[in-house]
Amino acid sequence: MTMKHRLLALLLLCCALVAGCGRTDKAGAGASALVVGFSQLGSESGWRIGNTASMEQAAKDWGFGLMLENANQRQDKQIAAIRSFISYQVDVIVFSPIVQTGWDNVLNEAKKAGIPVILMDRMIDTGDDTLYTAYIGADFLAEGRRAGEFLKRKADATGAEHMNIVEITGTEDSTPMRDRQAGFMEAIAGDGRFEVIESVSGDFLRSKGEECMRDLLKRYGPEGIDVVYSHNDEMTLGALKVLDEAGLKPAEDVILISVDGQQEAIDALKAGRVNCIVECTPNLGDAVMALVDALSKGEAIPKRNHPEETVFTEFDDLSGLAPRGY
Ligand code: AHR
């Protein structure tokens, strides 16, 4: 961060703190001096943008100052942001790790500085659990299983004997990528009807989802792919574009299973262009701030915290579904 950026961040933080003073907030009087340093990993998806908005809104609701740094998909930027939070001596660090590995050094620095760390949305690989105080985010393994369970239900309904599956995965080495894949494989394991013919990385980006689908279609042909399991809605929407261009009927000629539940994808599901969307909620802000508040009061907090999530499928009546907000 340049000196200009530091000054700007400090100015914004002061404004947030001044705005928080003298108003009644969820945490009660006096708590508005709390400062949360939040390292967001990027803006790659509607989910991510919704998640950032949820954190910003929750910080306001709770009367906490929020120092937000967006790493634009770069781990080195996240590490630099965490270091800047340490030097500002924020009260709590919240961050959403882009990948699982490579965090021990910087988290040791936070630990030495006595700053608690909450992992939000994604997990890390570490041999030392004391490097973070809590994790709050989806149970990605359960999400993957839900995707697999849907496929089994669909195969039962259609009487399919064999299905060629292509998987478009999220960012390599990220928690949702690893666990959505593992959960899905676990759910379909031992069922001879299913064959995953290829897994390719679409990095959670719509443009890459499109690129992957184009390439897969070119190599396997329209007859060679029965199912697309895509790790997020952005990539699914990219794949949809390619299927449309190829003159295929999405959700009929090719089964589409997605994850997230952002409005545009839900609209596609309602229009019969997607078969299943496993929900992953980005609305974690309020629960994160509740943990921050508890920590500031010296209360013990659970190490793992999962929001409740569901699955939306072509078999459900979705007419009463509230607008998703992301
Ligand atoms: O970590 C959550 C995932 O990250 C969401 O499924 C995806 O859309 C986002 O980019």
Side-chain angles (χ1 to χ4, degrees):
M1 206 165 36
T2 63
M3 183 57 76
K4 203 168 133 202
H5 284 124
R6 269 170 210 267
L7 286 171
L8 192 63
L10 264 180
L11 188 67
L12 290 174
L13 181 60
C14 290
C15 292
L17 293 178
V18 169
C21 285
R23 77 160 189 251
T24 312
D25 51 50
K26 281 194 177 182
S32 50
L34 265 184
V35 177
V36 177
F38 171 38
S39 164
Q40 179 58 287
L41 67 85
S43 317
E44 75 283 5
S45 61
W47 190 100
R48 187 67 49 199
I49 290 161
N51 177 248
T52 303
S54 163
M55 286 290 288
E56 287 175 322
Q57 185 58 50
K60 272 193 201 136
D61 293 345
W62 284 81
F64 300 156
L66 187 73
M67 293 184 75
L68 166 62
E69 291 284 341
N70 188 324
N72 293 314
Q73 256 61 41
R74 282 181 41 193
Q75 182 174 31
D76 60 328
K77 281 192 161 195
Q78 285 205 281
I79 291 173
I82 293 169
R83 292 211 164 106
S84 75
F85 299 151
I86 296 170
S87 59
Y88 287 129
Q89 296 184 295
V90 299
D91 295 288
V92 179
I93 292 171
V94 178
F95 91 111
S96 187
I98 182 152
V99 290
Q100 288 205 175
T101 48
W103 303 103
D104 278 24
N105 286 347
V106 72
L107 293 187
N108 258 309
E109 292 166 32
K111 187 180 169 184
K112 276 193 197 118
I115 303 175
V117 171
I118 296 176
L119 303 177
M120 194 264 296
D121 165 43
R122 296 185 182 181
M123 265 302 291
I124 57 168
D125 280 345
T126 179
D128 180 1
D129 274 3
T130 67
L131 292 182
Y132 65 94
T133 307
Y135 165 76
I136 175 163
D139 181 342
F140 296 116
L141 207 57
E143 290 179 353
R145 287 188 195 117
R146 283 181 200 125
E149 291 306 329
F150 167 79
L151 187 57
K152 289 201 276 193
R153 185 174 172 200
K154 179 73 179 174
D156 290 345
T158 58
E161 286 174 4
H162 185 85
M163 287 182 168
N164 281 343
I165 304 165
V166 293
E167 184 187 35
I168 306 181
T169 73
T171 306
E172 299 274 1
D173 192 32
S174 70
T175 320
M177 179 267 150
R178 287 187 187 185
D179 289 358
R180 284 176 186 163
Q181 180 171 72
F184 181 76
M185 298 301 180
E186 185 194 300
I188 61 168
D191 191 324
R193 293 175 295 179
F194 307 118
E195 186 182 349
V196 179
I197 54 172
E198 193 157 334
S199 281
V200 286
S201 174
D203 217 5
F204 287 127
L205 294 168
R206 189 180 299 215
S207 56
K208 285 207 185 162
E210 186 181 330
E211 226 172 79
C212 290
M213 192 70 242
R214 208 176 294 289
D215 178 57
L216 289 163
L217 210 53
K218 200 187 282 174
R219 288 189 292 115
Y220 292 100
E223 301 300 318
I225 300 172
D226 303 304
V227 181
V228 176
Y229 170 40
S230 153
H231 284 196
N232 85 344
D233 286 343
E234 291 291 341
M235 298 188 297
T236 306
L237 292 163
L240 267 178
K241 187 172 173 240
V242 178
L243 296 174
D244 286 340
E245 283 168 8
L248 292 166
K249 281 201 178 129
E252 285 182 35
D253 297 332
V254 179
I255 295 168
L256 284 165
I257 304 175
S258 188
V259 188
D260 275 355
Q262 72 187 55
Q263 191 62 55
E264 201 179 341
I266 291 287
D267 291 343
L269 172 62
K270 284 182 175 172
R273 291 167 48 73
V274 169
N275 303 80
C276 168
I277 300 175
V278 176
E279 184 188 32
C280 180
T281 180
N283 299 321
L284 300 169
D286 197 53
V288 168
M289 298 308 162
L291 293 179
V292 169
D293 183 54
L295 278 179
S296 75
K297 292 175 177 152
E299 294 166 9
I301 60 172
K303 193 86 179 174
R304 282 188 79 86
N305 305 268
H306 296 306
E308 274 197 24
E309 291 175 335
T310 184
V311 58
F312 310 108
T313 80
E314 61 181 320
F315 302 124
D316 307 320
D317 174 11
L318 300 172
S319 54
L321 192 65
R324 305 292 295 155
Y326 62 98

